Amino acid sequence: MASSTSQTSTWWQGAVGYEVYVRSFADSNGDGVGDLAGITERLDYLSWLGVDAVWITPFYPSPGHDHGYDVSDYCEVAPRHGTLADFDALVGAAHRRGLRVMVDIVPNHTSSEHRWFAAARRDPDGEHRSRYLWRDPAPDGGPPNNWRSHFGGPAWTLDEASGQYWCHLFLPEQPDLNWRSEAVRDDFDKILKWWIDRGVDGFRVDVAHGLIKDADWRDNPQIAPLTEGMDPRAAFNAFEHLHDLNQPDNDDIFRRWHRLCAPHQAMLLGEVNPPGPERMSGYVSPGALDRAFFLRLAMLRWEPRRLLEMARAMHDAAPQGISWVMSNHDQPRPVSRFGGGTAGVRRSLAMSTLMMALGGTPFLYQGEELGLDDGVLRGGGYDPVTVRNVGATSGRDGCRTPMPWDSSPHNGFSAAQPWIDAHPRRAGQTVAAQRDDPESPLHCFRSLLAARRQHPDMWRAPLEWIDARDPQVTALRRGSITVVANLSESRTDVALGSPGWQPVFESRSGSRLDGPACDAVSVPAETSVVLVNDQR
Ligand code: GLC
């Protein structure tokens, strides 16, 4: 059993986070792009919803080839998103409301326009060269090995001037840093410290599983054929990523950062994609990452059995180490993945309820609380996955359309045409309408978060799994709390083993319940319930 939870308490124990995709959350100055001041204006909404922390996606200067994940200066704010003064104002306003602020740190790669890469390219003999990953061509003149970019094509681009290739697990404009370089390690220590001194409460670590690469640059084993016009994600998954991802030495970097962050109570939350639960427990072992996202639940379609099996296995491997997520800015929204319409909303609420009882630090992604499905674009794509790969199906624009605040033009996101051109959302999908409707997904999430806060056993007490006799049903007990997630298509009855259980939350009704105390519960199809027993 591995978990990063120690005896000392940290702010993220019991906390629920909220991901803000900065470009699409709130635009305060009417240029069509979301900004930091826009987030500040909406903090009261986040407090009302009941989350504890906000993670803001990259707002640093960037040429924007990957919408901010190609950083050209780690210690500045891009003019399109505001100023450092706006950032300070945001942190101050959040802290006054008891909200924590996390920033996104992108250490696997810089932008090709970062001054380090410009210098490395300009002078192959200079000190900056070894900050990146350069290799001579293979004997046939092609790329040095068979590694693939997540965004299509080889993970290597030839620098004609020096005759060497640079490595990039994403776009050529996102050259990978060499994490065996002490200069890189020192510089990132300084970057983390710089943001800590500005008052941030933690870091979401982008591509944390990719930092160190195989020292011998070995080929990855190929497990499926590559075909012409294949989707980049499928092409990437045609290889077993033995040598480019999840290398054991990665954890040394997080141990170093942990020593730096822990004294300031700054949380380290990794974006990782480990091959299985065992590797995950290593990432969140004591003294390494505080939490890691488990992304599989944010990728699967409606496969109740697999969803439950995976959640259970991952919980058992790292009981308090996971940041559970059903969605983020890279995946289709759960409502769409789970069948769309009312069924999609119902199913995603049932899963979210279970997720809130699995310990760790769960995160919502903006709009998830509204039961949003994917937005529909009016024009072409924006994501480099779509723009650079004809016919790609794994583009990420659908989950990045503007947050629908109300029914005014552009759904109240901006006074101008938003950077991403999508069909407006229906009135019923907006914050304004859902606040007035006690049966809405928004009120359902708010009640769920309130129940979690009111009954800390829900995340804190030791977890026991209760045998529910159906692989599409999961039941768990944590002290005075029982949660039953019935993902099957029929009602199920679960015996609770003792009298006195009071239902307090049901995902389908979206409200807090006041039913009679009982010793068994009958749970409708595709619904989760939370019960409390004050005698325990
Ligand atoms: C992460 C981000 C994604 C980005 C990629 C490269 O997976 O979540 O949006 O494209 O890293 O930085």
Side-chain angles (χ1 to χ4, degrees), residues 66 69 106 109 151 170 174 204 206-207 271 329-330 396 400:
D66 189 18
Y69 281 95
V106 187
H109 43 264
F151 293 161
F170 295 87
Q174 294 169 296
R204 179 262 189 186
D206 189 59
V207 197
E271 182 206 30
H329 65 282
D330 291 328
R396 302 167 295 176
R400 297 177 173 183

Side-chain angles (χ1 to χ4, degrees), residues 475-504:
L476 63 86
R477 163 114 2 113
R478 303 190 91 118
S480 61
I481 293 285
T482 294
V483 175
V484 182
N486 174 17
L487 305 191
S488 77
E489 284 175 8
S490 45
R491 182 175 277 278
T492 192
D493 297 323
V494 177
L496 299 170
S498 56
W501 288 96
Q502 187 89 43
V504 292

Side-chain angles (χ1 to χ4, degrees), residues 158-172:
L158 182 64
D159 172 38
E160 307 265 351
S162 68
Q164 286 196 306
Y165 282 85
W166 76 82
C167 178
H168 51 87
L169 294 184
F170 295 87
L171 297 175

Side-chain angles (χ1 to χ4, degrees), residues 108 146-155 168-170 176 207 209-210 213 220-227 230-246 273 296 299 389 394:
N108 179 67
N146 71 356
W147 296 358
R148 305 275 311 178
S149 152
H150 288 73
F151 293 161
H168 51 87
L169 294 184
F170 295 87
D176 281 23
V207 197
H209 55 300
K213 274 72 173 183
N220 283 322
Q222 188 164 355
I223 50 182
L226 291 178
T227 52
M230 199 173 190
D231 183 80
R233 187 174 290 188
F236 192 79
N237 292 337
F239 294 85
E240 195 184 345
H241 292 275
L242 278 189
H243 302 303
D244 53 346
L245 300 178
N246 295 303
N273 201 353
R296 280 304 165 99
M299 296 175 177
N389 298 277
S394 64

Side-chain angles (χ1 to χ4, degrees), residues 14 43 81 201 279 371 392 525:
L43 289 177
H81 299 307
D201 302 289
R279 182 69 184 95

Side-chain angles (χ1 to χ4, degrees), residues 339-353:
T342 52
V345 174
R346 183 172 67 238
R347 293 166 175 172
S348 86
L349 282 168
M351 271 308 288
S352 298
T353 304

